[in-house]
Amino acid sequence: MVGVFEVGAIPFNPDGWGPPDSTTATAPSTTTTLPLHVPFAPFSRSEKLGRIADFTRSFANANPSNRPSSGKPGAASSESPFDFSLDLDTFPLANPEDDSSFRLVDAKPPTRPKFGPKWRFNQHRPQLPQRRDEEVEARKREAEKERARRDRLYNLNRSNQNQQRREAAIFKSSVDIQPEWNMLDQIPFSTFSKLSFSVPEPEDLLLCGALEYYDRSFDRITPKNERRLERFKNRNFFKVTTTDDPVIRRLANEDKATVFATDTILATLMCAPRSVYSWDIVIQRVGNKLFFDKRDGSQLDLLSVHETSQEPLPEAKDDINSAYSLSVEAAYINQNFSQQVLVRDGNKVSFDEPNPFANEGDEVASAAYRYRRWKLDNDMYLIARCEVQSVVEVNNQKSFLTLNALNEFDPKYSGVDWRQKLETQRGAVLATELKNNANKLAKWTAQSILASADLMKLGYVSRVHPRDHFNHVILGVVGYKPRDFAAQINLNTANMWGIVKSIVDLCMKLNEGKYVLVKDPSKPQVRIYEVPADAFENDYVEEPLPEEEQVQPPAEDTEAGEPNGTTNDVEAKETETQT
């Protein structure tokens, strides 16, 4: 069935083209089927229909030139034949100048020439900021990925190197733990940081030995006028443990104190939280007295190098830059430096008694031993042998000095070349040494405070050539007050004595016998073992080994009452290492 479309009656306009103004005037009796209130809009075939509504277009950037438009967004910008406004009653012609009430369906901007910088800029301008941000973010993400990859590879290689180095240094105990030893207690270093104990000023019981004066000309040494480090083969140096000291034995028989030790052992305990390498201290409980000793061949006689550094050291023991070789070299440098910076004119300051460890006629190094007593409790006193190396006269008063030397073996390990930085950036050099040798510097400072030294001198000694570990030069000497330097390196005196007091209280609760305090090789803690009475007595033979077989640190094999001095053992070890 075909539908019929009725056009309806069309009014005739005799006055012109288009519908008449009023259909009722010309054809009052004619009815129309046209919809009412619909405005007439002329239409041409050349016109193209656009979008009915474009919801994807942003009107914020519809005006590329950023000029204010004549009407609302989407208003006609040129004269259009659709100049009519809707009126519910009539459809009169609107004012041609008032086109703000009319909106175009297609608000697309007019086409522009395809060539030319202005067209390219305006055409892509709404998308450029977003695209630029995306590209920048993409570059940042790629850079972060690349940086993370490099850091991961670097840390992996570095961790492998450090692991190899720490296996040689940390995971090897300073003493072989025997299966029959009974572990009594273990103390983590974290508990040491909370300890604090104040001791009154110590009293000097006895001064022994003789001191030479310090040569002030060494304070003016710079890398430009360096001075060659000399060797003192004929001077004897002594590293005698506590129970082998005849003066301490005499004071113990007189019941002058309850606890006995040396400044080296006390400094090791005081600075234990800063240590990385393993160390051990022998503790003997005899009656109501307590003796802290070092073991024969202990590492306490040597000086650690780069102990707290993160840079790996060679594993091979015969390498001149291994941890053991550097320790021997540092001890050798320290001994020679302490004697070279003195005025060797025979003028000495002698004390109550001569050197208790020297034989008659021996040439001994400049050293004085101060036997001092501290009060730890109402009925508990501690006596320690403290050592100073020189004396200087200031304002007609004699001041005690401690002399120590830092050594540079290869600038690539520390990252700071002393010959270039020491004169202009001495603070940076010291900061690097504090990072790499925190434990050694803290122990030197603690020993100076224990001895009540007025000044501590630090020498900067470097190799003549990085591969020559036997010839050295002095590049500079700097002096510090011990307590000021302790504050600079964050070394608390009350905390140091708190550590000693806690260990003493712990050991006083033990039964009579022999014990050993060992720093754990892999963890920041110390352990106390109960050992047999004859432990550590048969570790070394009394007869000297052939020179090519001497691989242990200098030993102090002593007979009862006859302390043995480590005269030139360090230099012999240095010669052996060079060979």
Side-chain angles (χ1 to χ4, degrees):
M1 181 177 181
V2 180
V4 179
F5 177 75
E6 296 181 0
V7 178
I10 300 176
F12 177 71
N13 187 4
D15 298 331
W17 185 83
D21 295 338
S22 176
T23 58
T24 57
T26 56
S29 61
T30 307
T31 60
T32 178
T33 59
L34 293 176
L36 300 177
H37 310 301
V38 176
F40 172 77
F43 179 76
S44 174
R45 291 183 179 180
S46 62
E47 295 292 340
K48 294 182 179 180
L49 295 177
R51 298 180 182 90
I52 297 177
D54 188 2
F55 296 101
T56 63
R57 183 124 185 109
S58 175
F59 291 104
N61 298 322
N63 189 10
S65 60
N66 292 329
R67 292 194 303 269
S69 60
S70 58
K72 297 180 181 180
S77 58
S78 60
E79 190 174 353
S80 172
F82 305 101
D83 290 337
F84 296 92
S85 60
L86 179 61
D87 193 345
L88 296 178
D89 297 330
T90 59
F91 305 106
L93 286 174
N95 187 1
E97 298 179 357
D98 187 11
D99 57 354
S100 61
S101 62
F102 183 77
R103 299 176 183 272
L104 286 177
V105 175
D106 187 6
K108 183 169 62 176
T111 58
R112 304 237 177 183
K114 293 185 179 181
F115 303 100
K118 187 175 181 181
W119 177 85
R120 288 198 302 269
F121 176 78
N122 292 334
Q123 189 74 9
H124 297 276
R125 185 174 180 182
Q127 301 177 0
L128 276 179
Q130 184 178 3
R131 180 180 300 176
R132 187 182 299 113
D133 293 342
E134 291 178 355
E135 292 177 355
V136 171
E137 291 298 329
R139 293 195 197 100
K140 287 183 179 180
R141 286 194 296 268
E142 292 297 328
E144 285 295 334
K145 291 181 180 179
E146 182 66 20
R147 189 180 301 110
R149 187 186 66 83
R150 291 198 304 266
D151 293 344
R152 188 166 56 253
L153 293 176
Y154 174 77
N155 293 330
L156 181 61
N157 296 334
R158 186 171 179 176
S159 62
N160 291 337
Q161 293 174 351
N162 287 338
Q163 185 177 2
Q164 295 175 359
R165 181 237 176 148
R166 294 309 182 188
E167 284 180 357
I170 289 185
F171 295 104
K172 182 179 180 181
S173 178
S174 60
V175 60
D176 293 333
I177 307 298
Q178 301 299 325
E180 62 270 15
W181 292 2
N182 181 25
M183 188 184 73
L184 302 180
D185 197 0
Q186 57 183 9
I187 309 171
F189 285 164
S190 58
T191 60
F192 285 163
S193 60
K194 306 174 184 178
L195 301 176
S196 179
F197 183 74
S198 298
V199 294
E201 288 296 323
E203 57 175 323
D204 286 331
L205 301 179
L206 189 66
L207 271 78
C208 304
L211 292 176
E212 297 181 33
Y213 285 91
Y214 174 73
D215 190 354
R216 297 177 183 268
S217 64
F218 281 87
D219 293 336
R220 298 187 294 271
I221 291 181
T222 62
K224 295 181 180 178
N225 59 342
E226 60 189 27
R227 193 173 299 186
R228 194 68 173 257
L229 182 67
E230 301 177 9
R231 304 176 188 174
F232 295 85
K233 298 181 179 180
N234 298 326
R235 293 200 172 190
N236 298 326
F237 302 86
F238 303 97
K239 303 291 182 182
V240 182
T241 187
T242 306
T243 53
D244 291 338
D245 190 331
V247 178
I248 288 183
R249 288 190 175 188
R250 186 176 69 194
L251 295 175
N253 292 332
E254 298 174 359
D255 290 331
K256 294 292 185 180
T258 307
V259 185
F260 300 88
T262 63
D263 57 347
T264 304
I265 296 175
L266 286 182
T268 303
L269 294 175
M270 291 176 171
C271 305
R274 302 180 184 230
S275 62
V276 176
Y277 295 157
S278 178
W279 46 265
D280 59 274
I281 295 175
V282 179
I283 304 172
Q284 299 188 57
R285 176 77 188 274
V286 181
N288 65 336
K289 294 182 174 57
L290 205 61
F291 295 89
F292 289 88
D293 281 301
K294 63 180 179 180
R295 187 172 43 84
D296 290 341
S298 172
Q299 290 290 333
L300 298 182
D301 292 333
L302 302 178
L303 299 175
S304 63
V305 180
H306 269 224
E307 180 178 358
T308 56
S309 172
Q310 296 300 323
E311 294 298 325
L313 294 176
E315 284 188 62
K317 193 174 182 179
D318 55 350
D319 193 299
I320 63 173
N321 291 333
S322 66
Y324 173 78
S325 300
L326 290 176
S327 297
V328 175
E329 181 183 356
Y332 159 79
I333 291 173
N334 206 68
Q335 288 184 354
N336 290 326
F337 172 80
S338 65
Q339 304 304 306
Q340 184 174 351
V341 297
L342 305 176
V343 180
R344 299 185 295 275
D345 57 357
N347 188 14
K348 295 183 179 181
V349 178
S350 300
F351 296 101
D352 304 337
E353 295 183 7
N355 193 312
F357 315 120
N359 297 323
E360 186 177 357
D362 290 345
E363 183 180 358
V364 297
S366 173
Y369 303 100
R370 306 181 70 177
Y371 293 88
R372 321 191 76 194
R373 182 169 65 178
W374 287 267
K375 185 177 182 180
L376 298 182
D377 208 341
N378 293 332
D379 55 349
M380 184 184 299
Y381 290 86
L382 182 146
I383 289 180
R385 184 190 73 225
C386 305
E387 182 179 352
V388 292
Q389 289 80 31
S390 180
V391 66
V392 65
E393 190 169 348
V394 179
N395 298 330
N396 297 326
Q397 292 184 355
K398 293 180 174 59
S399 301
F400 291 119
L401 274 69
T402 58
L403 305 174
N404 298 285
L406 297 166
N407 61 302
E408 180 190 39
F409 56 98
D410 197 337
K412 75 176 183 179
Y413 285 94
S414 61
V416 179
D417 191 349
W418 287 5
R419 286 175 171 81
Q420 297 179 1
K421 304 292 185 180
L422 190 59
E423 192 170 5
T424 59
Q425 300 180 13
R426 182 171 294 174
V429 175
L430 180 61
T432 304
E433 291 302 309
L434 288 173
K435 181 185 69 173
N436 297 334
N437 299 284
N439 186 35
K440 179 170 64 175
L441 284 167
K443 289 168 64 175
W444 287 346
T445 308
Q447 292 177 15
S448 300
I449 294 176
L450 290 173
S452 293
D454 301 283
L455 203 64
M456 54 181 296
K457 292 286 186 178
L458 291 180
Y460 293 90
V461 181
S462 178
R463 293 177 179 175
V464 175
H465 188 271
R467 300 304 302 172
D468 183 6
H469 67 294
F470 202 61
N471 297 304
H472 304 82
V473 290
I474 303 175
L475 302 179
V477 180
V478 187
Y480 300 95
K481 292 183 178 181
R483 294 193 177 273
D484 295 344
F485 192 75
Q488 183 177 350
I489 65 175
N490 196 22
L491 186 65
N492 190 354
T493 306
N495 177 251
M496 295 190 311
W497 280 109
I499 296 174
V500 173
K501 182 67 165 58
S502 65
I503 295 178
V504 169
D505 292 342
L506 180 62
C507 295
M508 291 301 292
K509 298 177 182 179
L510 302 176
N511 299 325
E512 289 192 37
K514 181 180 288 188
Y515 307 87
V516 60
L517 183 70
V518 183
K519 194 270 177 185
D520 192 283
S522 59
K523 298 179 181 179
Q525 64 182 13
V526 291
R527 296 179 178 179
I528 299 179
Y529 294 90
E530 183 180 6
V531 298
D534 58 348
F536 314 122
E537 293 182 1
N538 300 322
D539 290 348
Y540 305 98
V541 295
E542 296 183 359
E543 298 180 0
L545 294 174
E547 184 177 356
E548 62 273 7
E549 298 180 7
Q550 294 181 1
V551 296
Q552 295 293 337
E556 294 176 1
D557 193 7
T558 60
E559 296 292 340
E562 297 180 2
N564 177 33
T566 59
T567 54
N568 292 306
D569 294 340
V570 174
E571 187 171 352
K573 293 296 179 184
E574 177 67 19
T575 307
E576 174 193 344
T577 306
Q578 185 190 33
T579 306

